[in-house]
Amino acid sequence: MRNLVWHIFLCVALAASAWASNKVDAEQVAKEHKASFHWFPVQKTFLLAGETDTLKFAIGLPYVSSHGNSVELKRAPEITDGHILLDSADVVSLYKTDKTAAVSPTSSSSAAKVSSSSAKAAAVPAATPTAKPKNETAGTREVKTIVIDPGHGGKDTGAQGKNSNEKDIVLAVGKLLKKELEKEGFNVKMTRDKDVFIELGERANLANQWDGDLFISLHCNAIDATPERKKQIKGYHVYVLRAPESEEDKAIARRENKVATLYGEKNAKEELSPIEWFKLEARLEKYKQNSYMFTEEMLKAFDGGKIKRQGGGVGGAGFMVLVGALMPAVLFEIGFISNPEEEAYMTTTKAQEDIATRVAKAVSTYKAAVHNYRETLGR
Ligand SMILES: [Zn+2]
C-alpha cells in the first residue's frame, strides 16, 4: 500500500516536472514584452500592462482578460517557489495576437484575426442570448445565498473569556448579520440559530444542501498565556483554507478543530496530513480565488473599526469546518476573547451590530466584485 502511494506520488511528481519545462515566469514575460507587472497578493491576481493592452490574470483561473474579452488559457497561472508561472504556449499566443493588433490597428483583417481568436468564448453566449450558462457553480455565478456559521454551540462553549463564551458572541453576531444581509436582499441560511451543538462536518453538509454562494464561519480567537501576554495579543483575522504558513495559524486551526475529536465526530482530526492537502488542493483551487476576493473585502470593511487587524489580518490553515464546503469559504476570528479589552467590547450589542454591519458590507461589495468579474469574462 505504501509502495502504491509512493508510486502515485512519483508519477505525479514526474508529470509536474514535465510541465515545468513549459512554464515561464510572468515577471520575465513582462520585461521581455515591455509591459509593467502588478501583483495583488490578497486577490491573487496580476496585470501585465503593455502599450496596447492590459492583460489581467488570476492565479488558478484558466482565463485572461485581454482587449476586454475573456480568453481561455491552456493552463491557469500558478505560484511556485514565490514565482508566478504562465504556460509558455499561452504567452506565445497572447503576444502574437497583441503584436498583430499593434502593427496595423486599423486594418480590418488584423482586427478580424484578433476577434476570431479571442472572441470564441464571448461569441457563444452572444449568439444565443437566452441560453443560460451551464455548470455554473458557487464562485462563478451571481452571489445570492449566504451561509452563516456561528461556531460551536450547546455543550461546546468554544473559547472562554472572563465573563463570556465564544459560542454566545458568535451567535449574537450571526443573528444580526442575517438581519443585515436580508435587508440587502440576500437569501440567508444559518447552520445554527440557537444554542445547539452541531458537528463540524454537518455544518459544511448543510451549506452544500443549501447550495450556498459563500460560507462565513464566525469565531472568537483565544490564546492560553500569561495575563500580560493576553493583554498584548488582540485583533481580528480572516482565515481561508490553505496549507498553514506559520505555527500560530496551525495552532488556531487545531484549537478550532478540537471539538470534532473531543466529541468523537466521524473522520475527526485536528490537522490535515500532507497527502490530504494534496488531494484537497484541486477542489479548493475552484473556490480559492473567490475566498480571497471576499477576504480582501473583509479587510476593507474592517478598516477603521474598533478591533484592528492582527498582523496582516489574513491567514490559512486546515479548518475542518471549511474542508467540506463546496463554495468560497472563510473563517472569521472576530477578536480575542482572551484579551480583556476585546472581550468587553465584543459582548456589547453596539459592537456586535458594528461587526455585523461591516461583514454585511464586505458581502455586498464581494457580490458586486463577482458581478463585475463575470462581466469582464463576458458572462
Ligand atoms: Zn471557534
Side-chain angles (χ1 to χ4, degrees):
M1 185 59 199
R2 201 171 187 173
N3 277 338
L4 179 68
V5 170
W6 266 109
H7 182 76
I8 294 169
F9 185 75
L10 281 176
C11 286
V12 172
L14 282 173
S17 67
W19 291 1
S21 56
N22 302 325
K23 290 177 194 169
V24 283
D25 189 312
E27 283 186 74
Q28 203 56 42
V29 172
K31 259 186 217 156
E32 277 162 23
H33 295 275
K34 296 193 172 57
S36 57
F37 176 83
H38 305 271
W39 167 239
F40 303 93
V42 176
Q43 287 203 2
K44 303 257 185 241
T45 56
F46 60 98
L47 305 177
L48 298 182
E51 272 177 37
T52 55
D53 190 17
T54 293
L55 301 170
K56 187 176 179 189
F57 299 87
I59 299 296
L61 268 190
Y63 293 97
V64 58
S65 161
S66 161
H67 291 288
N69 283 317
S70 133
V71 183
E72 206 165 341
L73 295 172
K74 263 187 76 179
R75 202 190 309 283
E78 58 169 66
I79 307 180
T80 304
D81 299 330
H83 293 274
I84 295 165
L85 301 177
L86 289 166
D87 191 289
S88 55
D90 284 326
V91 172
V92 168
S93 72
L94 280 168
Y95 280 97
K96 194 170 66 197
T97 306
D98 196 44
K99 211 178 261 168
T100 321
V103 171
S104 52
T106 51
S107 144
S108 60
S109 68
S110 74
K113 255 182 225 158
V114 171
S115 57
S116 70
S117 66
S118 64
K120 246 183 201 164
V124 177
T128 52
T130 50
K132 278 204 172 141
K134 277 183 187 163
N135 301 325
E136 282 208 319
T137 52
T140 61
R141 65 189 179 209
E142 298 285 355
V143 179
K144 288 181 181 138
T145 302
I146 312 298
V147 180
I148 303 170
D149 173 47
H152 314 278
K155 62 188 173 188
D156 170 23
T157 57
Q160 290 174 304
K162 267 199 186 118
N163 312 304
S164 62
N165 290 324
E166 176 182 0
K167 67 170 185 177
D168 299 317
I169 294 176
V170 296
L171 179 59
V173 172
K175 283 181 176 173
L176 291 165
L177 175 58
K178 180 173 194 271
K179 244 191 240 169
E180 286 293 321
L181 289 173
E182 279 173 345
K183 263 195 255 166
E184 301 289 326
F186 288 99
N187 175 29
V188 187
K189 300 281 187 186
M190 292 181 84
T191 54
R192 69 177 181 102
D193 57 7
K194 48 184 178 293
D195 188 18
V196 287
F197 176 77
I198 299 170
E199 292 191 342
L200 294 183
E202 181 58 15
R203 294 167 190 259
N205 287 345
L206 286 170
N208 296 339
Q209 272 169 35
W210 293 324
D211 199 16
D213 293 303
L214 181 64
F215 182 83
I216 307 170
S217 192
L218 298 171
H219 291 262
C220 297
N221 223 332
I223 51 156
D224 195 13
T226 61
E228 284 72 43
R229 187 118 176 90
K230 282 184 174 177
K231 269 186 204 161
Q232 286 164 3
I233 305 296
K234 53 183 176 178
Y236 72 81
H237 224 94
V238 187
Y239 284 96
V240 295
L241 191 60
R242 76 165 184 233
E245 280 150 23
S246 73
E247 282 308 313
E248 285 85 356
D249 286 351
K250 248 190 204 173
I252 288 160
R254 269 200 305 269
R255 183 174 59 69
E256 296 292 9
N257 290 342
K258 208 175 191 105
V259 52
T261 48
L262 207 60
Y263 297 110
E265 187 169 336
K266 215 174 81 197
N267 303 325
K269 46 181 72 88
E270 286 181 25
E271 263 183 74
L272 291 173
S273 67
I275 194 85
E276 282 169 316
W277 274 115
F278 186 77
K279 284 195 286 190
L280 204 59
E281 198 62 26
R283 208 186 74 203
L284 289 180
E285 202 56 61
K286 227 166 139 184
Y287 309 115
K288 207 189 244 174
Q289 169 71 9
N290 284 69
S291 302
Y292 279 112
M293 271 169 78
F294 178 64
T295 301
E296 181 117 314
E297 299 307 335
M298 284 286 281
L299 297 186
K300 281 189 225 158
F302 277 82
D303 239 14
K306 171 97 165 111
I307 300 178
K308 307 291 177 217
R309 285 180 202 181
Q310 186 212 9
V314 185
F319 293 99
M320 293 310 298
V321 69
L322 303 184
V323 166
L326 302 174
M327 63 198 71
V330 302
L331 185 141
F332 182 41
E333 298 279 4
I334 299 169
F336 277 79
I337 200 170
S338 52
N339 178 279
E341 201 187 315
E342 286 190 350
E343 182 193 7
Y345 178 68
M346 288 189 293
T347 49
T348 64
T349 308
K350 197 173 156 248
Q352 291 165 356
E353 277 168 357
D354 182 67
I355 292 158
T357 308
R358 287 175 193 271
V359 179
K361 193 177 167 218
V363 175
S364 291
T365 47
Y366 167 73
K367 177 197 159 91
V370 170
H371 179 77
N372 290 341
Y373 195 62
R374 284 168 56 83
E375 284 195 338
T376 58
L377 293 181
R379 285 190 181 137

